Amino acid sequence: MQYLLAAVVVLPLLGAVGALLPAPPGLKGRSPGQAVLRHGVTVTGVVLAAALALAAGFDHDHPARMQATTDISWIPALDIRIHLGIDGISLPLVVLTALLTFLCALYSYFHMPKGPSPKAFVALLLTLEAGTLASFAVLDLMLFFLAFEMVLIPMYFLIARWGGAGKQAAAWKFILYTLLGSVVMLLGLLLIGVKSGTFDMVALATDNGPKAQLSHTVQLLAVLAVGIGLAVKSPLWPLHSWLPDAHTAAPTVGSVLLAGVLLKMGTYGFVRIALPITPEGMHTVAPYLAALAAIGIIYGSLACLALVRKGAGGDLKRLIAYSSVGHMGFVLLGIASMTPTGVNGALFANIAHGLITGLLFFMVGALKDRTGSTDLDAFAGSTGAALYGKAPRFGGLLAFAAVASLGIPGLAGFWGEMLAMFGAFRPAAGLSRPAFLTFMALAGLGTLLTAAYLLLVVRRVCMGGTPAAVEAVPAVEEGTATAAEAATVAPAAPAPVIPDLARHEYAAWTPLAVLTVLAGLWPAALLGLTDPAVQQLLGGGK
């Protein structure tokens, strides 16, 4: 098992190096570009198979125990170790990352985004996967920081080189926000390591371990510094403004991985570092974190309603990006409650958001390829998308993803948000219950606003608008119409042809839809993994 986890982390890096090498003569296929794209599918497929084998071999009877561990001294002078391991909290995120990256590689094989060499694209995709998987698997604070930073450069180039309009500005905004947040986070991690004498996350999570040497002031300073870096990546309002631009400009697979995986690194850091290592500091900042999360829920929903309004010229891709601000607000609200119910809800919502929003970004990217636009006003009307009539399978799947995103019972989006609000209903001891009840009420209002804008999206994109009434033109005798009058009579614009789902789209999107249904109908499969680990984490290792 320990070799399997090490392989899951290292194989994408080796695959990235291999992508830059010339393809063997017998494996070039129709072109070198096709060969390297096939290489990306193969490597990510092997990593997914290894992640699934890791999940199958995981001891599900003891999900709170760190398993498949590797612990090797790396920098003895600073007590920095190559320490890997997974428990019930990190295992679902490892599998989700491997799955989404494989589906992105598969989709790109059939629909490579416009840009430079496929070699660079595949190498960056695999490097991004390696950094993300390492973030969820490492158990040393310094290794976590390195893995956390490792994903920034690949994502920057994916946006800047393969993105759409405004890609350079969006890429710079992404890298500057996240790098500045990371610098502050590094100061907090160093403060923890210097004051406790170790960077080992497992040792620091126990009450009778090095954490006992951290005073309340040190914990407060550390959680503020670490929390800023994590909040930028999460993204927490008002540190979210890089996200809509990055999503709008990114290629389809970049948006899928950014929403489905990279945002989870920030919330995972709150659960793995802030809650167990600095509990006293977290207890102090929790009400402020919950307040900002609740504001983010309302803000994201109102921004989406403004974008979906008729005549606003809203961008569908940008709308889904703003919806992520709201959905991740539920995750942060659950974490801020500091209760097992809220934290379990946050972890569940993490996975649900990765599945559902990943599917939405896949479909919006494909819709842009079909129509050349993501403008919501262009999708409405008799000559717009009207997917139910022109591409019924595509329209049905898009409506399914939208309904799942609004949190309808029976689908994955419901459980995480409900449990996060339950956690806010009765927060941890010492936290102001009236304040958290207010945050819960705001979150409840956010669910109503979410339903409103997503149903409007379905109506405008899938159903289209009502064609304007066409007045009958009275017949005129031959030769009586003037040339000017004849020129004003123009034929109606033909409705565009929109292809329905292709086979490779079925292959890339069906797993996300199926898992969304399974997680909604059988939440115990995921909660059974996370709950014992969360109980131990919040209990100081007990």
Side-chain angles (χ1 to χ4, degrees):
M1 288 286 286
Q2 68 184 55
Y3 296 120
L4 203 56
L5 180 59
V8 166
V9 175
V10 173
L11 276 177
L13 274 180
L14 298 177
V17 174
L20 299 175
L21 300 176
L27 298 178
K28 285 186 178 179
R30 291 192 299 269
S31 68
Q34 186 201 41
V36 75
L37 291 172
R38 186 168 58 238
H39 169 81
V41 175
T42 303
V43 174
T44 55
V46 171
V47 172
L48 176 59
L52 293 175
L54 195 65
F58 187 81
D59 185 357
H60 292 263
D61 293 329
H62 301 90
R65 178 171 57 87
M66 282 295 173
Q67 302 180 36
T69 56
T70 298
D71 193 359
I72 304 171
S73 178
W74 183 31
I75 307 177
L78 299 177
D79 193 28
I80 298 177
R81 312 181 67 81
I82 300 177
H83 192 183
L84 305 177
I86 54 169
D87 61 358
I89 293 173
S90 52
L91 177 62
L93 291 168
V94 168
V95 175
L96 175 67
T97 301
L99 173 64
L100 284 177
T101 312
F102 169 70
L103 296 181
C104 285
L106 180 64
Y107 183 80
S108 299
Y109 179 78
F110 292 96
H111 202 284
M112 170 73 190
K114 295 179 181 178
S117 164
K119 282 191 172 187
F121 176 82
V122 172
L124 290 170
L125 188 69
L126 292 172
T127 305
L128 181 68
E129 180 182 30
T132 310
L133 289 169
S135 298
F136 299 137
V138 297
L139 298 173
D140 184 277
L141 290 177
M142 287 297 99
L143 279 185
F144 176 81
F145 175 77
L146 292 176
F148 198 84
E149 295 303 289
M150 183 178 172
V151 304
L152 301 185
I153 301 303
M155 182 54 71
Y156 167 81
F157 281 109
L158 285 175
I159 297 173
R161 304 300 297 277
W162 286 271
K167 58 186 179 181
Q168 293 293 340
W172 274 112
K173 198 171 185 179
F174 163 76
I175 199 76
L176 288 176
Y177 263 77
T178 49
L179 277 179
L180 289 174
S182 297
V183 168
V184 181
M185 182 177 74
L186 177 60
L187 296 176
L189 297 177
L190 290 173
L191 179 62
I192 293 172
V194 169
K195 292 296 183 179
S196 65
T198 182
F199 292 102
D200 188 272
M201 294 160 70
V202 177
L204 286 166
T206 58
D207 284 341
N208 57 353
K211 181 175 67 175
Q213 303 176 36
L214 301 178
S215 66
H216 177 77
T217 302
V218 170
Q219 289 193 32
L220 181 57
L221 291 174
V223 78
L224 285 173
V226 173
I228 288 174
L230 298 174
V232 171
K233 189 70 72 75
S234 293
L236 176 68
W237 182 93
L239 303 174
H240 69 285
S241 59
W242 61 270
L243 182 70
D245 292 338
H247 270 308
T248 305
T252 297
V253 295
S255 294
V256 171
L257 292 177
L258 184 58
V261 177
L262 265 67
L263 302 188
K264 313 303 178 283
M265 294 167 61
T267 53
Y268 173 78
F270 275 108
V271 175
R272 181 64 75 193
I273 298 173
L275 281 177
I277 298 177
T278 57
E280 294 180 22
M282 187 66 184
H283 194 277
T284 302
V285 304
Y288 304 98
L289 177 62
L292 294 176
I295 293 172
I297 293 171
I298 299 298
Y299 171 83
S301 300
L302 291 177
C304 291
L305 281 171
L307 288 171
V308 80
R309 191 179 71 252
K310 184 178 180 180
D315 186 282
L316 182 54
K317 204 173 182 185
R318 195 174 188 85
L319 181 145
I320 297 174
Y322 272 112
S323 77
S324 292
V325 177
H327 288 306
M328 298 309 291
F330 282 97
V331 177
L332 292 166
L333 178 62
I335 293 171
S337 73
M338 298 185 70
T339 62
T341 301
V343 176
N344 275 303
L347 294 171
F348 197 103
N350 258 346
I351 302 299
H353 180 263
L355 295 172
I356 298 168
T357 308
L359 178 58
L360 280 170
F361 273 118
F362 265 134
M363 300 199 73
V364 172
L367 189 58
K368 183 177 182 179
D369 294 334
R370 284 164 163 80
T371 64
S373 172
T374 52
D375 184 86
L376 280 163
D377 287 335
F379 290 152
S382 59
T383 59
L387 293 177
Y388 286 161
K390 300 174 183 177
R393 295 181 182 87
F394 195 107
L397 188 57
L398 180 62
F400 164 82
V403 169
S405 184
L406 65 85
I408 193 169
L411 297 176
F414 171 74
W415 296 104
E417 295 181 1
M418 183 194 70
L419 290 174
M421 288 192 287
F422 277 172
F425 179 75
R426 197 174 297 278
L431 296 177
S432 171
R433 194 179 181 210
F436 272 82
L437 286 176
T438 303
F439 304 147
M440 184 196 73
L442 291 174
L445 175 61
T447 61
L448 299 178
L449 296 176
T450 300
Y453 72 74
L454 284 172
L455 291 176
L456 285 172
V457 166
V458 171
R459 178 183 177 185
R460 302 195 73 191
V461 178
C462 297
M463 301 177 184
T466 303
V470 179
E471 296 182 359
V473 179
V476 294
E477 294 182 8
E478 184 177 356
T480 60
T482 66
E485 290 171 336
T488 60
V489 180
V497 176
I498 300 178
D500 215 332
L501 292 179
R503 284 182 294 179
H504 69 276
E505 292 171 338
Y506 275 115
W509 303 344
T510 299
L512 300 179
V514 170
L515 288 173
T516 297
V517 175
L518 289 178
L521 296 178
W522 190 26
L526 184 56
L527 294 173
L529 279 175
T530 61
D531 185 55
V534 168
Q535 297 277 0
Q536 180 169 300
L537 205 68
L538 295 177
K542 300 174 185 176

